[in-house]
């Protein structure tokens, strides 16, 4: 099940004796674990009934033994095993030997007084391994993977509901536009906006007022203004970034990266690749591909190649000492404005 489904079951009081959490999203892993502890131990529960091990430091049989031991003062117990490498094909980080047969036996007959949580912060699992197969069959499996658009909207709504507020669809979209899929930053900004609006609704105006644009968003804006031949506005953003101590070479690298993504997305789209397939092929987050796909029709491939060559020429001119880097990027923006062609 995904993270949102698992959270829903917790709220309904459904707690599994064994959880297997895998995926690359550390925020989701930590958030679910905290909600699990609140549900099983309670916010006022004893820390003595929360035991954490690291798979690279402690034999797994000790964690199983702890899970089989009666909880302190008759309460419930949560045993957490972090960095559970046994389900991957990678070589172990330590020489600790583990008796995984003890674990598989426990999974088949877990203690009713304990909740065992195995955390594997990895994208891929080794499906051939016995322990992986057993966990997928017997445990509650939670995927802590990057959200797609639908899950992101659900997550933002769930976060808002938890804070006792509402957020408009447009505000939710603007928030993701500003921050991308960084869940930690999104959670922090939602908390800040919730304090600001009180019992009112979060609107686009609130997002614009309280949530700062990221550097990547400013780079998007630079490109958009250049495409629309609005050089003055592009230069205003550029000089604002300079006041924020952003290095022109860093901005140049981000511009080049964005044009490269546009060029690759445009080429793969012409070959009838879906956005999901493009994201996999280019090893990009699906949201990045979605944003690029919405912009690529503003360019033909020849223009994108021209921009990439201009970025490379500018980079060489700066690093060879032929031109000042601040002036070089201004001239690049002017060239982009003059050479933009749409198709």
């Amino acid at each position: 099940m995904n993270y949102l489904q698992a959270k829903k079951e917790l709220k309904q009081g459904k707690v599994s004796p064994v959880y297997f959490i895998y995926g690359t999203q550390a925020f989701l892993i930590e958030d679910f674990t905290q909600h699990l502890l609140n549900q099983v131990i309670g916010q006022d529960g004893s820390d003595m009934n929360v035991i954490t091990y690291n798979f690279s430091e402690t034999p797994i049989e000790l964690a199983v033994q702890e899970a089989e031991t009666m909880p302190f003062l008759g309460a419930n117990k949560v045993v957490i095993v972090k960095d559970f490498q046994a389900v991957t094909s990678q070589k172990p980080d330590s020489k600790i030997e583990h008796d995984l047969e003890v674990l598989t036996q426990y999974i088949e007959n877990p203690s009713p007084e304990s909740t065992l949580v195995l955390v594997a912060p990895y994208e891929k699992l080794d499906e051939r391994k016995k322990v992986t197969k057993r966990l997928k069959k017997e445990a509650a499996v939670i995927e802590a993977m990057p959200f797609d658009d639908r899950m992101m909207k659900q997550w933002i709504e769930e976060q808002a509901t938890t804070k006792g507020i509402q957020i408009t669809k447009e505000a939710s979209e603007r928030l993701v536009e500003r921050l991308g899929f960084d869940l930690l930053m999104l959670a922090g900004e939602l908390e800040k906006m919730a304090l600001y609006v009180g019992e009112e609704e979060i609107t686009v105006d609130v997002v614009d007022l309280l949530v700062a644009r990221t550097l990547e968003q400013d780079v998007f804006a630079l490109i958009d203004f250049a495409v629309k031949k609005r050089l003055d506005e592009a230069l205003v953003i550029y000089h604002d970034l300079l006041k924020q101590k952003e290095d022109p070479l860093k901005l140049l690298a981000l511009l080049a990266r964005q044009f490269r993504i546009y060029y690759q997305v445009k080429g793969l789209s012409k070959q009838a690749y879906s956005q999901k397939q493009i994201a996999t092929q280019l090893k990009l987050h699906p949201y990045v591909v979605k944003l690029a796909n919405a912009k690529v029709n503003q360019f033909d491939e020849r223009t994108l190649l021209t921009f990439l060559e201009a970025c490379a020429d500018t980079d060489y001119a700066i690093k060879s000492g032929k031109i000042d880097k601040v002036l070089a990027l201004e001239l690049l923006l002017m060239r982009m404005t003059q050479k933009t062609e749409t198709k």
Side-chain angles (χ1 to χ4, degrees):
M1 75 185 88
N2 63 44
Y3 157 87
L4 295 175
Q5 293 169 329
K7 282 276 294 289
K8 184 178 180 180
E9 289 195 357
L10 272 186
K11 289 180 179 179
Q12 295 171 346
K14 300 177 182 178
V15 179
S16 298
V18 180
Y19 284 98
F20 172 46
I21 311 174
Y22 76 95
T24 57
Q25 298 299 294
F27 177 87
L28 298 183
I29 294 172
E30 292 299 324
D31 187 64
F32 178 81
T33 302
Q34 189 57 55
H35 278 82
L36 176 65
L37 293 177
N38 291 342
Q39 182 70 34
V40 176
I41 307 298
Q43 295 184 357
D44 299 323
S46 172
D47 290 341
M48 296 185 67
N49 283 326
V50 181
I51 301 92
T52 302
Y53 297 100
N54 192 300
F55 188 75
S56 62
E57 299 173 357
T58 307
I60 191 64
E61 51 267 33
L62 291 185
V64 172
Q65 182 180 343
E66 184 64 54
E68 292 174 332
T69 304
M70 288 294 294
F72 180 68
L73 294 178
N76 294 316
K77 176 190 291 187
V78 177
V79 179
I80 303 169
V81 179
K82 294 185 175 181
D83 200 19
F84 188 61
Q85 298 177 0
V87 291
T88 71
S89 56
Q90 71 180 54
K91 293 182 180 180
D93 294 336
S94 69
K95 295 183 179 180
I96 299 290
E97 293 187 5
H98 300 274
D99 189 348
L100 294 176
E101 187 60 34
V102 171
L103 175 62
T104 55
Q105 291 175 3
Y106 178 83
I107 293 169
E108 293 173 358
N109 187 29
S111 168
E113 289 85 18
S114 298
T115 300
L116 177 63
V117 183
L118 303 170
V119 180
Y122 309 104
E123 182 178 1
K124 294 182 179 180
L125 305 177
D126 190 339
E127 304 284 352
R128 300 167 298 176
K129 291 191 172 182
K130 179 180 177 181
V131 65
T132 308
K133 294 177 181 177
R134 184 62 60 186
L135 282 168
K136 286 204 163 187
K137 180 179 179 182
E138 304 288 348
V141 181
I142 302 173
E143 298 175 1
M145 294 297 189
F147 288 159
D148 56 22
D149 283 348
R150 180 182 59 81
M151 287 185 64
M152 177 55 75
K153 291 175 183 176
Q154 290 180 3
W155 181 80
I156 290 176
E157 290 175 2
E158 187 255 353
Q159 290 287 308
T161 300
T162 300
K163 301 178 192 310
I165 57 172
Q166 291 184 326
I167 183 170
T168 67
K169 177 183 177 182
E170 293 76 16
S172 177
E173 292 173 351
R174 181 64 60 83
L175 186 60
V176 174
E177 179 185 313
R178 287 283 173 96
L179 300 177
F181 278 38
D182 188 323
L183 299 179
L184 185 59
M185 287 183 65
L186 286 166
E189 293 299 327
L190 281 167
E191 181 71 31
K192 180 172 68 178
M193 290 187 291
L195 292 172
Y196 178 81
V197 300
E199 297 180 357
E200 300 296 324
E201 190 175 49
I202 295 177
T203 63
V204 170
D205 290 339
V206 174
V207 176
D208 288 342
L209 176 66
L210 297 180
V211 181
R213 295 173 67 101
T214 63
L215 178 57
E216 287 75 14
Q217 285 298 313
D218 283 327
V219 170
F220 272 124
L222 282 175
I223 294 174
D224 279 344
F225 285 137
V227 170
K228 296 170 183 175
K229 302 185 183 299
R230 292 156 60 179
L231 178 61
D232 290 346
E233 291 166 279
L235 290 176
V236 167
I237 291 178
Y238 174 51
H239 285 284
D240 283 344
L241 291 171
L242 292 178
K243 291 176 184 176
Q244 296 169 27
K245 307 300 182 182
E246 295 292 351
D247 189 338
L249 276 172
K250 179 181 179 181
L251 299 176
L252 177 60
L254 289 172
L255 283 170
R257 176 181 181 272
Q258 199 57 51
F259 286 132
R260 191 177 301 111
I261 290 173
Y262 285 170
Y263 182 78
Q264 293 170 325
V265 169
K266 191 173 185 70
L268 291 174
S269 295
K270 290 175 69 175
Q271 298 177 45
Y273 279 67
S274 68
Q275 289 188 23
K276 184 176 180 180
Q277 290 172 324
I278 293 173
T280 301
Q281 187 81 5
L282 300 181
K283 297 181 180 179
L284 295 171
H285 193 286
Y287 184 70
V288 174
V289 175
K290 178 185 176 182
L291 290 179
N293 200 52
K295 300 289 185 180
V296 293
N297 289 335
Q298 296 176 311
F299 310 94
D300 62 16
E301 290 179 292
R302 182 179 62 182
T303 300
L304 289 170
L305 283 175
T306 299
F307 286 165
L308 281 169
E309 290 173 359
C311 288
D313 291 343
T314 301
D315 184 71
Y316 176 78
I318 293 172
K319 291 178 179 177
S320 61
K322 293 181 178 179
I323 189 171
D324 174 74
K325 59 185 180 182
V326 173
L327 176 59
L329 210 58
E330 285 187 358
L331 293 174
L332 175 62
L333 291 173
M334 293 177 188
R335 289 176 65 186
M336 287 167 52
T337 304
Q338 293 166 359
K339 291 183 177 296
T340 297
E341 299 176 18
T342 59
K343 185 172 181 180

